């Protein structure tokens, strides 16, 4: 064995070009698979960092009639679930919270704070590293505000202070919170949380408050319960609760998802498609190397015959060829492992920001095991067929060397390998063109606004600046926003300035409950009993300049004016105003009013009970893509900030023709002069926001497209190698044909035709496979059908063009063979 291994190594060393090509092909295939598998493992396969994580589930409510399914649950339903469930051993509620401004030492820091119930550590089976978690009493109004830190925040902001428990931190410049604990390293639930505050969800919920949807729920399945058991129980519980509470729960059903899959469901299809794509690249690389080894076996036919004649066993001869393949695979695997981390880093860099657990992607034992398995499998796939063929050729040829041409069987094997490569390439090219067409369609979508020359300015005020125990903060918030907009509007070159609570394509507007005030059965804040008259809509708080800043046309009615402002006395009053104004979008008007004019009609905004739940529609604006570029506009209601001034994180939209650097400097200078306490977090063009919204389809396109291009190049090299080798093997035949009168064009056509037959067969198989498998990509496509004829025809055209070129070059060389020289070689 050692002797054969040394011989195989010497053989590969004597042919550095062959060895380098084979190792490079395998390294690219194995490296790409290693990189993609590392991401797939971290995002989809790696167990969550909690004991018995497979028993954890996420629970939420959805309403198909209202199109509501955002992963949250109302507090009233949560309380009912907690009291009635038997398949869930523990249930906890949490909210992702938001950014909070902390004063740590002499600096300000924005911290992502989540809210959670006291049961969360018990459900997740996690204990604090220092101190304790909330006991449940912290949510009472009389208790001292308390907070728990994440391990990362404790280390970074507080220097791993072992005496941190009991210290206080100033939050939002208004109140100190006592630090009661530090969670262990790696715990960040929900993802991105840096600190936690308590939230109370238990206790009876008044009927008029049951429909507030504000929390997420996570549970641990009881011993012996399965996911199907939980789903069956919660379907029954939804029906029971709807029967008990028809006003609030009719049409609402529970949804149960394994926590492992809850946050990765959106990216799962793309990652699996990418894994299939790079697996196809590895298959193409294996087929190429197998073809190369098969060509070597044919060229070494005489050597094999001599070995067999001298007494070597067929197994010994086959082992020589297999060991060559094993050495190539080991070198390719080693090179793949070396370039795998680099490819993995590039993949993580290109990935959209909403892919969960990207920070945990790294080379680990599972990844190295995968690379080793891929290398061994490659050696087996690549080495067995050439080894068997070498033995057969040696036996068939004996010591005679009358012809160096490959046998028909050898030619068939090589054609089959080429056809398999082509089939995989067609699948990859079809997928890449589908993603390309999807991206082009998305880029051409009418967003409803004009992002050019618009900048998004994210700012932050300490809430404590406005809040005091004596008076309500709303008048001061309104005056502060008025002054901020006036300061930015005064910059020369600024055309329009507007504020919105959630910037389109960058935020997630609050989804509220809405109905007409004259709906059957409605009375004040009591919703109509019939779910057809209870509507869902995005609620956004804006200033009048918002529509001008984004060039959103008002198609009916009017914009907000100073007449829609509430006075300081009204804002500071204990009771909400009697009525207010709202503007709706065209999707709201068409869905809920049909052909009727909604202007002048009155709506009840159930979620707007602080300032004025009864509001009159004063205008209709064009639809805007808010959640995603590929999602159709959904009903939206715009509320004037002058009647709802609870935005403590002003996000401005500024339209200006000034250069980016000059505008940014001017905005920071004006805001600094206006209010030094106002923190400017970020200034970015809206074009960047739109590009960020397209990051996932662009990611799909780049990765699958790169795999398709790489596969196409490898296939072209393989086709060229097979045809070129065939020309060498058929030199005597070509010489005879030309000596008997064949023209160069006849020889050229003969070689190209022989080369294109396996290509055509592989293309047909690839098209059939694409037609069967492309339906799995339906959720990732936009504006085109899975069986898009342009993509299928385009993939075939590109492949045929490249294949013809790969066939033409060696065929042209064959057509120039001098028949006398060809015959003299024999």
């Amino acid at each position: 064995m050692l002797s054969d291994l040394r011989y195989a190594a010497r053989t590969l060393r004597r042919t550095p070009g062959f060895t380098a090509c084979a190792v490079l092909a395998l390294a690219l295939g194995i490296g790409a698979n290693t990189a993609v598998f590392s991401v797939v493992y971290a995002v989809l396969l790696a167990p969550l960092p909690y004991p018995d994580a497979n028993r954890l589930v996420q629970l939420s409510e959805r309403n198909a009639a209202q199109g509501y399914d955002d992963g949250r649950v109302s507090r009233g339903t949560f309380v009912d679930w907690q009291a009635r469930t038997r398949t869930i051993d523990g249930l906890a509620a949490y909210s992702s919270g938001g950014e909070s401004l902390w004063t740590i030492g002499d600096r300000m820091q924005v911290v992502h704070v989540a809210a959670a119930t006291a049961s969360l550590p018990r459900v997740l089976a996690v204990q604090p590293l220092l101190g304790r978690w909330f006991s449940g009493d912290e949510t009472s109004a009389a208790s001292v505000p308390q907070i728990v830190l994440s391990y990362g925040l404790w280390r970074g902001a507080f220097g791993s202070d072992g005496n941190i428990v009991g210290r206080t931190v100033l939050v939002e410049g208004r109140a100190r919170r006592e630090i009661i604990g530090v969670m262990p390293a790696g715990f960040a639930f929900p993802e991105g949380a840096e600190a936690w505050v308590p939230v109370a969800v238990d206790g009876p919920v008044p009927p008029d408050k049951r429909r507030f949807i504000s929390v997420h729920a996570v549970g641990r399945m009881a011993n012996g319960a399965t996911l199907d058991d939980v789903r069956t129980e919660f379907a029954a519980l939804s029906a029971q609760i709807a029967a008990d509470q028809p006003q609030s729960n009719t049409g609402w059903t529970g949804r149960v998802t394994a926590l492992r899959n809850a946050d990765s469901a959106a990216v799962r299809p793309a990652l699996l498609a990418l894994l299939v794509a790079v697996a196809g690249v590895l298959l193409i690389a294996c087929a190429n190397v197998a073809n190369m080894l098969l060509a070597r076996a044919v060229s070494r036919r005489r050597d094999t015959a001599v070995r067999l004649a001298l007494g070597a066993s067929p197994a010994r001869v086959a082992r020589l060829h297999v060991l060559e393949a094993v050495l190539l695979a080991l070198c390719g695997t080693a090179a793949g492992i070396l370039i795998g981390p680099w490819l993995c880093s590039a993949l993580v860099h290109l990935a959209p920001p909403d892919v969960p657990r990207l920070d945990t992607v790294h080379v680990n034992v599972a990844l190295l095991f995968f690379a080793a398995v891929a290398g061994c499998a490659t050696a087996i796939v690549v080495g067995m067929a050439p080894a068997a063929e070498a033995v057969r050729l040696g036996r068939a040829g004996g010591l005679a060397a009358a012809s160096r041409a490959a046998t028909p069987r050898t030619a068939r094997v090589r054609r089959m390998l080429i056809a398999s490569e082509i089939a995989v390439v067609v699948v990859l090219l079809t997928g890449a063109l589908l993603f390309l067409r999807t991206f082009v369609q998305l880029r051409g979508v009418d967003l409803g606004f004009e992002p050019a020359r618009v900048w998004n300015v994210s700012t932050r005020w300490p809430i404590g600046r406005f809040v005091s125990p004596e008076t309500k903060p709303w008048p001061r918030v309104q005056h502060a926003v008025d002054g901020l907009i006036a300061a930015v509007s005064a910059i020369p070159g600024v055309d329009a300035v507007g504020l919105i609570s959630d910037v389109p394509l960058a935020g997630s507007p609050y989804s509220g409950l809405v109905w007409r005030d004259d709906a059957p059965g409605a009375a004040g804040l009591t919703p109509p009993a019939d779910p057809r008259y209870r509507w869902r809509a995005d609620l956004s708080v804006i200033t009048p300049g918002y529509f001008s800043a984004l060039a959103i046309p008002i198609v009916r009615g009017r914009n907000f004016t100073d007449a829609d402002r509430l006075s300081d006395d009204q804002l500071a009053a204990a009771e909400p105003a009697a009525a207010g104004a709202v503007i709706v979008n065209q999707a709201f008007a068409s869905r809920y009013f049909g052909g009727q004019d909604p202007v002048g009609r009155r709506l009840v905004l159930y979620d707007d009970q602080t300032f004025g739940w009864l509001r009159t529609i004063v205008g209709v604006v064009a639809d805007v893509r808010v959640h995603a570029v590929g999602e159709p506009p959904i009903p939206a209601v715009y509320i004037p900030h002058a009647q709802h001034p609870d935005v403590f994180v002003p996000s401005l939209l500024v339209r200006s023709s000034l250069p980016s650097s000059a505008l940014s400097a001017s905005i920071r200078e004006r805001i600094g002069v206006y209010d030094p306490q106002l923190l400017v977090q970020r200034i970015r063009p809206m074009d960047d926001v739109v590009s960020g919204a397209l990051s996932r389809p662009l990611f799909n396109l780049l990765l699958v497209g790169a795999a398709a291009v790489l596969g196409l190049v490898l296939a072209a090299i393989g086709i060229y190698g097979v045809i070129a080798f065939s020309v060498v093997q058929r030199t005597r035949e070509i010489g005879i044909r030309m000596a008997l009168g064949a023209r160069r064009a006849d020889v050229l056509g003969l070689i190209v035709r022989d080369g294109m037959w396996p290509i055509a067969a592989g293309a047909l198989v690839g098209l059939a496979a694409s037609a069967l498998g492309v339906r799995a990509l339906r959720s990732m496509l936009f504006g085109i059908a899975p069986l898009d004829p342009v993509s299928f025809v385009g993939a075939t055209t590109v492949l045929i063009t490249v294949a013809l070129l790969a066939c033409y070059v060696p065929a042209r060389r064959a057509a120039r063979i001098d028949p006398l020289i060809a015959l003299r070689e024999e």
Side-chain angles (χ1 to χ4, degrees), residues 87 226-236 254-258:
T87 59
T226 66
L227 194 60
D228 288 337
D229 295 335
V230 180
R231 286 172 175 162
T232 301
E233 183 195 38
F234 273 75
R255 182 176 186 178
V256 182
T257 310

Side-chain angles (χ1 to χ4, degrees), residues 84-324:
R84 303 186 189 191
T85 181
R86 296 294 179 267
T87 59
I88 297 295
D89 191 32
L91 198 60
Y94 66 93
S95 66
S96 56
E99 294 179 340
S100 181
L101 201 58
W102 289 21
T103 304
I104 303 175
D106 57 351
R107 59 189 175 86
M108 304 286 284
Q109 180 170 336
V110 176
V111 178
H112 187 88
V113 180
T117 57
S119 56
L120 184 64
R122 183 176 69 84
V123 170
L124 299 180
V126 177
Q127 295 298 321
L129 177 68
L130 298 176
R132 63 178 179 86
W133 188 262
F134 312 112
S135 63
D137 298 332
E138 292 86 353
T139 56
S140 63
S143 63
V144 177
Q146 296 179 330
I147 201 163
V148 175
L149 306 181
S150 68
Y151 182 84
L153 183 63
W154 172 61
R155 286 197 60 184
F158 297 94
S160 303
D161 184 0
N163 299 316
I164 192 69
V165 175
R167 286 180 53 186
T168 60
V169 60
L170 184 63
V171 177
E172 297 293 353
R174 62 168 176 164
R176 290 197 168 271
R177 283 190 175 268
E178 179 187 0
I179 300 171
I180 63 171
V182 177
M183 297 305 289
F187 180 81
F189 188 89
E191 188 170 359
E194 298 177 286
W196 295 266
V197 295
V199 61
V201 182
D202 53 353
V205 179
D208 61 335
K209 305 292 184 184
R210 287 188 58 86
R211 204 60 268 153
F212 280 118
I213 298 182
S214 57
V215 296
H216 300 267
V218 60
R220 179 174 288 272
M221 293 189 295
N223 289 328
T226 66
L227 194 60
D228 288 337
D229 295 335
V230 180
R231 286 172 175 162
T232 301
E233 183 195 38
F234 273 75
L237 286 180
S238 297
Q240 295 173 13
I241 298 171
D244 296 341
Q245 303 288 342
Q247 289 280 8
S248 59
N249 284 76
T250 299
W252 291 86
T253 58
R255 182 176 186 178
V256 182
T257 310
L259 188 62
R260 161 80 269 171
N261 302 327
D263 58 353
S264 61
V267 299
R268 178 182 297 271
L271 290 180
L272 294 180
L274 182 57
L275 190 60
V276 171
V278 295
V281 171
L282 181 57
L283 288 176
I284 294 172
C286 290
N288 260 2
V289 176
N291 246 330
M292 294 167 68
L293 289 175
L294 197 57
R296 283 168 66 90
V298 172
S299 64
R300 291 159 61 182
R301 179 181 182 185
R302 184 182 180 88
D303 173 76
T304 302
V306 170
R307 288 177 179 274
L308 291 172
L310 293 177
S313 66
R316 177 73 181 272
V317 173
R319 190 170 69 190
L320 284 173
H321 291 272
V322 171
L323 285 176
E324 284 188 24

Side-chain angles (χ1 to χ4, degrees), residues 327-484:
L327 285 177
L328 289 174
L330 289 176
C331 293
T333 301
I337 291 176
L338 290 177
I339 67 175
W342 179 81
L343 293 175
C344 185
S345 299
L347 189 60
V348 171
H349 178 73
L350 289 173
D354 58 349
V355 177
R357 293 179 290 279
L358 277 180
D359 57 329
T360 64
V361 176
H362 62 281
V363 177
N364 52 25
V365 175
L367 183 59
L368 294 176
F369 176 76
F370 171 79
V373 170
C376 293
T378 300
I380 295 173
V381 171
V382 166
M384 293 304 294
E389 191 68 10
V391 173
R392 193 189 65 80
L393 287 173
R395 282 175 168 174
L399 292 175
S403 173
R404 290 176 293 153
T407 65
R409 175 174 171 175
T410 305
R412 284 197 301 271
V413 172
R414 303 190 67 191
R415 289 191 185 101
M416 288 177 60
L417 289 172
I418 286 294
S420 63
E421 287 186 55
I422 296 303
V424 176
V425 171
V426 168
V427 173
L428 293 178
L429 282 175
T430 303
L433 287 176
L434 285 171
F435 286 138
L436 175 61
R437 296 253 299 147
T438 291
F439 186 73
V440 171
Q441 292 284 336
L442 288 171
R443 290 287 295 179
V445 165
D446 181 9
L447 300 175
F449 62 89
E450 297 180 8
R453 300 192 303 109
V454 179
W455 278 260
N456 173 217
V457 183
S458 299
T459 61
R460 190 69 167 81
W461 264 309
I463 296 177
R465 168 181 174 157
F466 305 104
V467 176
S468 68
E470 295 82 13
T471 60
K472 291 189 175 182
W474 319 125
R476 280 173 288 175
V477 173
Q478 180 59 54
H479 292 315
V481 168
D482 289 342
L484 171 62

Side-chain angles (χ1 to χ4, degrees), residues 28 55 77 111 151 168 184 269 295 387 547 615 623 643 676 687 693 698 714 766 794 799-800:
L28 289 174
R55 292 171 53 198
T77 302
V111 178
Y151 182 84
T168 60
F547 298 123
R615 294 184 175 270
D623 293 329
Q643 294 179 356
D687 285 328
L698 180 60
L714 290 175
L799 175 67
I800 295 299

